[in-house]
Amino acid sequence: METTFREASADPRTAALPLAHLSLELGHLYMDDFAAGPVRLREHFARIRPWVDAARESCAGAVGRRPRISTCFLIDDYFTRFSSPAEVVPQIVEEAARAGLVIDYLARESACAEAGPVRPAQLVEARLVPSPPPGSTGSRPPATETGWLSNGERSPVDSLAEAMSETAGWRPPREIEARRHSVFLDVELWDEQHGRRTWSCPFLAAVWQLLRLGLLRDQGQEVLRPAEAPQDLPGSWDALAPLVRLNPGAAPFAAYRTFSVLAGRFLPIEHAVAVILDQWSPEEAVLRQLAERARQEGVALPDGVRARVEYLFTGPS
């Protein structure tokens, strides 16, 4: 009898997720939007409807057959708590339907930070690989210590110069991959007060994109599994599953690509999301899995994560 011993960590247990061709985000809802009443939602869905149709048509053209497209909507229950699922969710579904739109999945933004025993934000933070600016000395603490991540080289600070000594003088910040001129951005990932960490809106938005792209795993397993919508929606957000499937016939939540139709006020946040995604390293096993699935389906899939994320911004900023 021959016995073979293997380390548990050596087992190929990277879960494969069902995938749509496109994850189409129909908006975010903040407390201010809800406070403005159903009219605000009605205007939003009516405004984005033509762009949603265009995104569907574009995806169908790229896929070359009937595409699998799922829609999603994000509720901000992380920074502010307002109303309840029992009151808000039917209102969103009704106003979307009035514009001819169906919301397949509804997610709570707090789930990007904490979803039961899983901490998606921590999973993303653990795989950040900040790009070192050319000529940097490594004297600046890493992003995981400071909570700040940039897309280039910050202006130097002469705080350690001796009194009366000459200083290097001011130098401008510089974007690493600038095209002629720099667009430098320094993104706050989190802050801490009284020992409690609060993730920033851009960081949670980056987590949201990675969840929609099916790129996150917790020890090889799925991070967010959609729950069926309860017959009676609860009176508190904590009692609602992190990710709820509102449409039983929906295509899978995760997709090869994401497309978000958002108000212009989200532009700075999504710029920060791009900076984070550019410096995030996916698990090789997950990347290979997605690439093989795409190859088998004849789907063109960019190598870079950021290239799988697209937007359309509407309305005033």
Side-chain angles (χ1 to χ4, degrees):
M1 180 176 185
E2 183 176 347
T3 303
T4 301
F5 293 93
R6 300 181 62 190
E7 293 183 13
S9 58
D11 292 336
R13 294 183 297 179
T14 301
L17 307 185
L19 289 172
H21 291 106
L22 183 69
S23 166
L24 184 51
E25 184 178 15
L26 303 182
H28 291 185
L29 179 64
Y30 289 132
M31 184 177 68
D32 293 345
D33 300 311
F34 178 75
V39 173
R40 175 74 64 83
L41 284 171
R42 194 171 306 163
E43 292 173 347
H44 168 74
F45 287 122
R47 184 184 303 118
I48 70 171
R49 170 60 195 270
W51 307 114
V52 171
D53 291 344
R56 289 182 176 279
E57 186 176 347
S58 175
C59 181
V63 171
R65 57 183 180 275
R66 186 177 180 182
R68 302 187 301 273
I69 299 175
S70 63
T71 61
C72 56
F73 197 94
L74 188 65
I75 301 282
D76 175 19
D77 69 328
Y78 183 73
F79 294 100
T80 53
R81 288 295 176 98
F82 59 93
S83 191
S84 68
E87 185 173 359
V88 171
V89 176
Q91 192 176 106
I92 295 172
V93 172
E94 180 181 341
E95 294 303 333
R98 190 189 294 268
L101 299 170
V102 176
I103 297 176
D104 295 327
Y105 298 94
L106 184 136
R108 295 164 43 205
E109 190 170 24
S110 62
C112 297
E114 182 177 337
V118 183
R119 304 291 188 270
Q122 289 184 0
L123 295 176
V124 173
E125 183 195 31
R127 301 196 67 84
L128 283 178
V129 184
S131 304
S136 61
T137 62
S139 59
R140 184 177 290 274
T144 50
E145 290 183 14
T146 64
W148 286 87
L149 182 71
S150 78
N151 64 346
E153 184 179 20
R154 303 170 175 93
S155 294
V157 177
D158 288 329
S159 58
L160 298 180
E162 295 181 3
M164 304 302 290
S165 65
E166 292 187 1
T167 64
W170 181 83
R171 291 201 307 270
R174 182 175 51 152
E175 181 185 359
I176 292 178
E177 298 183 356
R179 294 186 177 182
R180 184 67 177 82
H181 293 95
S182 289
V183 181
F184 178 81
L185 188 65
D186 216 347
V187 181
E188 186 171 21
L189 307 179
W190 45 262
D191 64 15
E192 288 184 347
Q193 292 184 353
H194 309 298
R196 179 180 174 81
R197 176 174 294 193
T198 300
W199 300 98
S200 70
C201 184
F203 196 78
L204 294 179
V207 176
W208 172 234
Q209 289 288 353
L210 293 170
L211 287 168
R212 292 168 61 201
L213 288 170
L215 284 166
L216 284 190
R217 298 290 187 280
D218 179 28
Q219 299 182 6
Q221 300 305 303
E222 185 177 11
V223 171
L224 279 188
R225 176 168 296 181
E228 300 302 326
Q231 189 168 7
D232 297 317
L233 289 163
S236 74
W237 293 107
D238 289 332
L240 187 70
L243 176 64
V244 177
R245 183 177 8 237
L246 299 177
N247 174 15
F253 168 72
Y256 291 117
R257 293 173 181 265
T258 69
F259 186 85
S260 298
V261 187
L262 301 172
R265 60 192 161 108
F266 289 99
L267 180 56
I269 293 172
E270 299 303 330
H271 182 195
V273 168
V275 171
I276 296 169
L277 295 184
D278 275 343
Q279 299 178 67
W280 186 78
S281 176
E283 292 184 44
E284 285 297 326
V286 178
L287 273 186
R288 286 196 302 271
Q289 191 180 77
L290 289 177
E292 177 59 21
R293 292 270 297 278
R295 188 191 64 77
Q296 292 175 357
E297 287 204 273
V299 173
L301 191 63
D303 291 334
V305 172
R306 181 180 171 183
R308 303 178 188 183
V309 178
E310 297 181 273
Y311 301 96
L312 188 139
F313 296 100
T314 68
S317 59

